[in-house]
Coordinates of all heavy atoms in Angstrom, one line a residue:
M731 N 68.0 -26.1 50.1 CA 66.6 -26.5 49.8 C 66.0 -25.6 48.8 O 66.0 -24.4 49.0 CB 65.8 -26.6 51.1 CG 64.4 -27.0 50.9 SD 63.7 -27.2 52.6 CE 62.1 -27.6 52.1
P732 N 65.4 -26.0 47.7 CA 64.8 -25.2 46.7 C 63.5 -24.5 47.2 O 62.9 -25.0 48.2 CB 64.5 -26.1 45.5 CG 64.6 -27.5 46.0 CD 65.4 -27.4 47.3
F733 N 63.2 -23.4 46.6 CA 62.0 -22.7 47.0 C 60.8 -23.4 46.5 O 60.8 -24.0 45.4 CB 62.0 -21.3 46.4 CG 63.0 -20.4 47.0 CD1 64.1 -19.9 46.3 CD2 62.9 -19.9 48.3 CE1 65.0 -19.1 46.8 CE2 63.8 -19.1 48.9 CZ 64.9 -18.7 48.1
S734 N 59.7 -23.3 47.2 CA 58.4 -23.9 46.7 C 57.8 -22.9 45.7 O 58.3 -21.8 45.5 CB 57.5 -24.0 47.9 OG 57.0 -22.8 48.3
D735 N 56.8 -23.4 45.0 CA 56.2 -22.6 44.0 C 55.6 -21.3 44.6 O 55.6 -20.2 44.1 CB 55.1 -23.4 43.3 CG 55.6 -24.4 42.3 OD1 56.8 -24.3 42.0 OD2 54.8 -25.2 41.8
D736 N 55.0 -21.5 45.8 CA 54.4 -20.3 46.5 C 55.5 -19.3 46.9 O 55.3 -18.1 46.7 CB 53.6 -20.8 47.8 CG 52.4 -21.5 47.4 OD1 51.9 -21.4 46.3 OD2 51.8 -22.2 48.3
E737 N 56.6 -19.8 47.3 CA 57.7 -18.9 47.7 C 58.2 -18.1 46.4 O 58.5 -16.9 46.5 CB 58.8 -19.6 48.3 CG 58.5 -20.1 49.7 CD 59.5 -21.1 50.3 OE1 60.1 -21.9 49.5 OE2 59.8 -21.0 51.5
L738 N 58.4 -18.9 45.3 CA 58.8 -18.2 44.1 C 57.8 -17.2 43.6 O 58.2 -16.1 43.1 CB 59.1 -19.3 43.0 CG 60.3 -20.2 43.2 CD1 60.3 -21.3 42.2 CD2 61.6 -19.4 43.2
T739 N 56.6 -17.5 43.7 CA 55.5 -16.5 43.3 C 55.6 -15.3 44.2 O 55.5 -14.2 43.7 CB 54.1 -17.2 43.4 OG1 54.1 -18.3 42.5 CG2 53.0 -16.2 43.0
E740 N 55.7 -15.5 45.5 CA 55.8 -14.3 46.4 C 57.1 -13.5 46.1 O 57.0 -12.2 46.1 CB 55.9 -14.8 47.9 CG 56.0 -13.7 48.9 CD 54.9 -12.6 48.8 OE1 53.8 -13.0 48.5 OE2 55.2 -11.4 49.0
I741 N 58.2 -14.1 45.8 CA 59.4 -13.4 45.5 C 59.2 -12.6 44.2 O 59.6 -11.4 44.1 CB 60.6 -14.3 45.4 CG1 61.0 -14.9 46.7 CG2 61.8 -13.6 44.7 CD1 61.9 -16.1 46.7
A742 N 58.6 -13.2 43.2 CA 58.4 -12.5 41.9 C 57.4 -11.3 42.1 O 57.7 -10.3 41.6 CB 57.8 -13.5 40.9
F743 N 56.4 -11.5 42.9 CA 55.4 -10.4 43.1 C 56.1 -9.3 43.9 O 55.9 -8.1 43.6 CB 54.2 -10.9 43.9 CG 53.2 -11.5 43.0 CD1 52.6 -12.7 43.3 CD2 52.7 -10.8 41.9 CE1 51.7 -13.3 42.5 CE2 51.7 -11.4 41.1 CZ 51.2 -12.6 41.4
R744 N 56.9 -9.6 44.9 CA 57.6 -8.6 45.7 C 58.6 -7.8 44.8 O 58.7 -6.6 44.9 CB 58.4 -9.3 46.8 CG 59.0 -8.4 47.8 CD 59.6 -9.1 49.0 NE 59.0 -10.3 49.4 CZ 59.7 -11.5 49.5 NH1 61.0 -11.5 49.4 NH2 59.0 -12.6 49.9
E745 N 59.3 -8.5 43.9 CA 60.2 -7.8 43.0 C 59.5 -6.9 42.0 O 59.9 -5.8 41.7 CB 61.1 -8.8 42.3 CG 62.1 -9.5 43.2 CD 62.9 -10.6 42.5 OE1 62.6 -11.0 41.3 OE2 63.9 -11.1 43.1
Q746 N 58.3 -7.4 41.5 CA 57.5 -6.6 40.6 C 57.0 -5.3 41.3 O 57.0 -4.3 40.7 CB 56.4 -7.4 40.1 CG 55.5 -6.7 39.0 CD 56.3 -6.3 37.8 OE1 57.0 -7.1 37.3 NE2 56.2 -5.0 37.4
R747 N 56.6 -5.5 42.5 CA 56.1 -4.3 43.3 C 57.2 -3.3 43.5 O 57.0 -2.1 43.3 CB 55.5 -4.7 44.6 CG 54.1 -5.3 44.6 CD 53.5 -5.5 45.9 NE 54.3 -6.3 46.8 CZ 54.1 -7.6 47.0 NH1 53.2 -8.3 46.3 NH2 54.8 -8.3 47.8
E748 N 58.4 -3.8 43.7 CA 59.6 -2.9 43.9 C 59.9 -2.2 42.6 O 60.2 -1.0 42.5 CB 60.8 -3.7 44.4 CG 62.1 -2.8 44.6 CD 61.9 -1.7 45.6 OE1 61.0 -1.8 46.4 OE2 62.8 -0.8 45.5
R749 N 59.9 -2.9 41.5 CA 60.1 -2.3 40.2 C 59.0 -1.3 39.8 O 59.3 -0.2 39.3 CB 60.2 -3.4 39.1 CG 61.5 -4.1 39.0 CD 61.6 -5.0 37.8 NE 60.6 -6.0 37.6 CZ 60.6 -7.2 38.1 NH1 61.6 -7.6 38.9 NH2 59.6 -8.0 37.9
D750 N 57.8 -1.6 40.1 CA 56.7 -0.6 39.9 C 56.9 0.6 40.7 O 56.7 1.7 40.2 CB 55.4 -1.3 40.3 CG 54.9 -2.4 39.3 OD1 55.5 -2.5 38.2 OD2 54.0 -3.1 39.7
R751 N 57.3 0.5 42.0 CA 57.6 1.6 42.9 C 58.7 2.5 42.3 O 58.6 3.7 42.2 CB 57.9 1.2 44.3 CG 58.1 2.3 45.3 CD 58.7 1.8 46.6 NE 60.0 1.3 46.4 CZ 61.1 2.0 46.3 NH1 61.1 3.3 46.2 NH2 62.3 1.4 46.1
Q752 N 59.8 1.9 41.9 CA 60.9 2.6 41.3 C 60.5 3.3 40.1 O 60.9 4.5 39.9 CB 62.1 1.7 41.1 CG 62.7 1.2 42.3 CD 63.8 0.1 42.0 OE1 63.9 -0.4 40.9 NE2 64.6 -0.2 43.0
Y753 N 59.7 2.7 39.2 CA 59.3 3.3 38.0 C 58.4 4.5 38.3 O 58.5 5.6 37.6 CB 58.5 2.3 37.1 CG 58.0 2.9 35.8 CD1 58.8 3.2 34.8 CD2 56.6 3.1 35.7 CE1 58.3 3.8 33.6 CE2 56.1 3.6 34.5 CZ 57.0 4.0 33.5 OH 56.5 4.6 32.4
Q754 N 57.5 4.4 39.2 CA 56.6 5.5 39.6 C 57.4 6.7 40.1 O 57.2 7.8 39.8 CB 55.6 5.0 40.6 CG 54.5 6.1 40.9 CD 53.8 6.5 39.6 OE1 53.3 5.6 38.9 NE2 53.7 7.8 39.3
E755 N 58.4 6.4 41.0 CA 59.3 7.5 41.5 C 60.0 8.2 40.3 O 60.1 9.4 40.3 CB 60.4 6.9 42.4 CG 59.8 6.5 43.8 CD 60.9 5.9 44.7 OE1 62.0 5.7 44.2 OE2 60.5 5.5 45.8
W756 N 60.5 7.4 39.3 CA 61.2 8.0 38.2 C 60.2 8.8 37.4 O 60.5 9.9 36.9 CB 61.7 6.8 37.3 CG 62.4 7.3 36.1 CD1 63.7 7.9 36.0 CD2 61.9 7.3 34.8 NE1 64.0 8.2 34.7 CE2 62.9 7.9 33.9 CE3 60.7 6.9 34.2 CZ2 62.7 8.1 32.6 CZ3 60.5 7.1 32.8 CH2 61.5 7.6 32.0
M757 N 59.0 8.3 37.1 CA 58.0 9.1 36.4 C 57.6 10.4 37.1 O 57.5 11.4 36.5 CB 56.7 8.2 36.2 CG 56.9 7.1 35.1 SD 57.3 7.8 33.5 CE 55.7 8.5 33.1
D758 N 57.5 10.3 38.5 CA 57.2 11.5 39.2 C 58.3 12.5 39.1 O 58.0 13.7 39.0 CB 57.0 11.1 40.7 CG 55.7 10.3 41.0 OD1 54.8 10.3 40.1 OD2 55.6 9.7 42.1
Q759 N 59.6 12.1 39.1 CA 60.7 13.0 39.0 C 60.7 13.6 37.6 O 61.0 14.8 37.4 CB 62.0 12.2 39.2 CG 63.2 13.1 39.2 CD 63.2 14.2 40.2 OE1 62.9 13.9 41.4 NE2 63.4 15.5 39.8
Q760 N 60.4 12.8 36.6 CA 60.3 13.3 35.2 C 59.3 14.4 35.1 O 59.5 15.4 34.5 CB 60.0 12.2 34.2 CG 61.1 11.1 34.0 CD 62.3 11.7 33.4 OE1 62.2 12.3 32.3 NE2 63.4 11.5 34.0
E761 N 58.1 14.2 35.7 CA 57.0 15.2 35.6 C 57.4 16.4 36.4 O 57.2 17.6 35.9 CB 55.7 14.6 36.2 CG 54.6 15.5 36.2 CD 54.1 16.0 34.8 OE1 54.5 15.4 33.8 OE2 53.4 17.0 34.8
A762 N 58.1 16.3 37.6 CA 58.5 17.4 38.3 C 59.6 18.2 37.5 O 59.5 19.5 37.5 CB 59.1 17.0 39.7
D763 N 60.5 17.6 36.8 CA 61.5 18.2 36.0 C 60.8 19.0 34.9 O 61.1 20.1 34.5 CB 62.5 17.2 35.4 CG 63.4 16.6 36.5 OD1 63.4 17.2 37.6 OD2 64.1 15.6 36.2
R764 N 59.8 18.3 34.2 CA 59.1 19.0 33.1 C 58.4 20.2 33.6 O 58.4 21.3 33.0 CB 58.1 18.0 32.5 CG 57.4 18.6 31.3 CD 56.2 17.8 30.9 NE 55.1 17.9 31.9 CZ 54.3 18.9 32.0 NH1 54.5 20.0 31.2 NH2 53.3 19.0 32.9
Q765 N 57.7 20.2 34.8 CA 57.0 21.3 35.3 C 58.0 22.4 35.7 O 57.7 23.6 35.5 CB 56.1 20.9 36.5 CG 54.9 20.1 36.1 CD 54.1 19.7 37.3 OE1 54.3 20.1 38.4 NE2 53.1 18.9 37.0
A766 N 59.1 22.1 36.2 CA 60.1 23.1 36.5 C 60.6 23.8 35.3 O 60.8 25.0 35.3 CB 61.3 22.4 37.3
R767 N 60.9 23.0 34.2 CA 61.3 23.6 33.0 C 60.2 24.6 32.4 O 60.5 25.6 31.9 CB 61.7 22.6 31.9 CG 63.0 21.9 32.2 CD 63.5 21.1 31.0 NE 62.5 20.1 30.6 CZ 62.4 18.9 31.1 NH1 63.2 18.5 32.1 NH2 61.5 18.0 30.7
A768 N 59.0 24.1 32.5 CA 57.9 24.9 32.0 C 57.8 26.2 32.8 O 57.6 27.3 32.2 CB 56.6 24.2 32.0
A769 N 57.9 26.2 34.1 CA 57.9 27.4 34.9 C 59.0 28.3 34.6 O 58.9 29.5 34.6 CB 57.9 27.0 36.4
E770 N 60.2 27.8 34.4 CA 61.4 28.6 34.1 C 61.2 29.3 32.7 O 61.5 30.5 32.6 CB 62.7 27.7 34.0 CG 63.2 27.3 35.3 CD 64.3 26.3 35.2 OE1 64.8 26.0 34.0 OE2 64.8 25.7 36.2
E771 N 60.6 28.5 31.8 CA 60.4 29.1 30.4 C 59.3 30.2 30.5 O 59.5 31.3 29.9 CB 59.9 28.0 29.5 CG 59.5 28.5 28.1 CD 60.7 29.0 27.3 OE1 61.9 28.8 27.7 OE2 60.5 29.7 26.3
Q772 N 58.3 30.0 31.3 CA 57.2 31.0 31.5 C 57.8 32.3 32.1 O 57.5 33.4 31.7 CB 56.1 30.4 32.3 CG 54.9 31.4 32.4 CD 53.7 30.7 33.2 OE1 53.9 29.7 33.8 NE2 52.6 31.4 33.1
A773 N 58.6 32.1 33.2 CA 59.2 33.2 33.8 C 60.2 34.0 32.9 O 60.2 35.2 32.9 CB 60.0 32.7 35.1
R774 N 60.9 33.2 32.1 CA 61.8 33.9 31.1 C 61.0 34.7 30.1 O 61.4 35.8 29.8 CB 62.7 32.8 30.4 CG 63.7 33.4 29.4 CD 64.4 32.4 28.6 NE 63.5 31.6 27.8 CZ 63.0 32.1 26.6 NH1 63.3 33.3 26.2 NH2 62.2 31.4 25.8
R775 N 60.0 34.1 29.6 CA 59.1 34.8 28.6 C 58.5 36.1 29.3 O 58.3 37.1 28.6 CB 58.1 33.9 28.0 CG 58.7 32.9 27.1 CD 57.7 32.0 26.5 NE 58.3 31.1 25.6 CZ 57.7 30.5 24.6 NH1 56.5 30.9 24.2 NH2 58.4 29.6 23.9
A776 N 58.0 35.9 30.5 CA 57.4 37.1 31.2 C 58.4 38.2 31.4 O 58.0 39.4 31.4 CB 56.8 36.6 32.5
A777 N 59.7 37.9 31.6 CA 60.7 38.9 31.9 C 61.2 39.6 30.6 O 61.8 40.6 30.7 CB 61.8 38.3 32.6
E778 N 60.9 39.0 29.4 CA 61.4 39.6 28.2 C 60.7 40.9 27.9 O 59.5 41.1 28.2 CB 61.1 38.6 27.0 CG 62.0 37.4 27.0 CD 61.6 36.5 25.8 OE1 60.6 36.8 25.1 OE2 62.4 35.6 25.5
Q779 N 61.5 41.8 27.5 CA 61.0 43.1 27.1 C 60.6 43.1 25.6 O 61.5 42.8 24.8 CB 62.0 44.2 27.4 CG 62.4 44.4 28.8 CD 61.2 44.8 29.7 OE1 60.4 45.6 29.3 NE2 61.1 44.2 30.8
P780 N 59.4 43.5 25.3 CA 59.1 43.5 23.8 C 59.9 44.6 23.1 O 60.2 45.6 23.7 CB 57.6 43.8 23.8 CG 57.4 44.4 25.1 CD 58.3 43.9 26.1
H781 N 60.3 44.3 21.9 CA 61.1 45.3 21.2 C 60.2 46.4 20.7 O 59.0 46.3 20.7 CB 61.9 44.7 20.0 CG 61.0 44.0 19.0 ND1 60.4 44.7 18.1 CD2 60.8 42.7 18.8 CE1 59.7 43.8 17.3 NE2 59.9 42.6 17.8
S782 N 60.8 47.5 20.3 CA 60.0 48.7 20.0 C 59.5 48.7 18.6 O 59.0 49.7 18.1 CB 60.9 49.9 20.2 OG 62.0 49.9 19.4
G783 N 59.7 47.7 17.8 CA 59.2 47.6 16.5 C 60.3 47.1 15.5 O 61.3 46.6 16.0
P784 N 60.0 47.2 14.3 CA 61.0 46.7 13.3 C 62.4 47.4 13.5 O 62.4 48.6 13.9 CB 60.4 47.1 11.9 CG 58.9 47.3 12.2 CD 58.8 47.8 13.6
T785 N 63.4 46.7 13.2 CA 64.8 47.2 13.4 C 65.4 47.6 12.1 O 66.6 47.8 12.0 CB 65.6 46.2 14.2 OG1 65.6 45.0 13.5 CG2 65.1 46.0 15.6
W786 N 64.7 47.6 11.0 CA 65.3 47.9 9.7 C 65.2 49.3 9.4 O 64.6 50.1 9.8 CB 64.8 47.0 8.6 CG 63.3 47.3 8.3 CD1 62.8 48.2 7.5 CD2 62.2 46.5 8.8 NE1 61.4 48.1 7.5 CE2 61.0 47.1 8.3 CE3 62.1 45.5 9.7 CZ2 59.8 46.6 8.6 CZ3 60.8 45.0 10.0 CH2 59.7 45.6 9.4

């Protein structure tokens, strides 16, 4: 038996909500990765010892 228009609409909305949720999770992970890289870079720069001047 084919789906009614209301059933098809509900299925489409449910699938869209799932895609939106997955995309938001992906974006959250991307942001967390970016922040982790920024923190690593900041820690690396803080640990660097400045050189004593020109080397020539």
Side-chain angles (χ1 to χ4, degrees):
M731 180 172 178
F733 291 112
S734 71
D735 286 347
D736 289 342
E737 289 171 321
L738 289 174
T739 300
E740 178 56 36
I741 291 168
F743 278 126
R744 192 176 322 130
E745 289 176 352
Q746 182 62 46
R747 284 191 300 268
E748 179 62 19
R749 284 192 299 274
D750 290 346
R751 183 191 62 77
Q752 290 174 349
Y753 177 72
Q754 188 60 50
E755 287 177 358
W756 179 78
M757 288 296 291
D758 292 345
Q759 184 62 49
Q760 293 292 309
E761 180 62 17
D763 292 346
R764 186 194 67 75
Q765 289 180 4
R767 284 192 306 275
E770 288 173 6
E771 177 68 12
Q772 184 177 11
R774 183 187 63 78
R775 288 181 183 211
E778 287 180 350
Q779 298 297 318
H781 60 78
S782 61
T785 57
W786 65 86

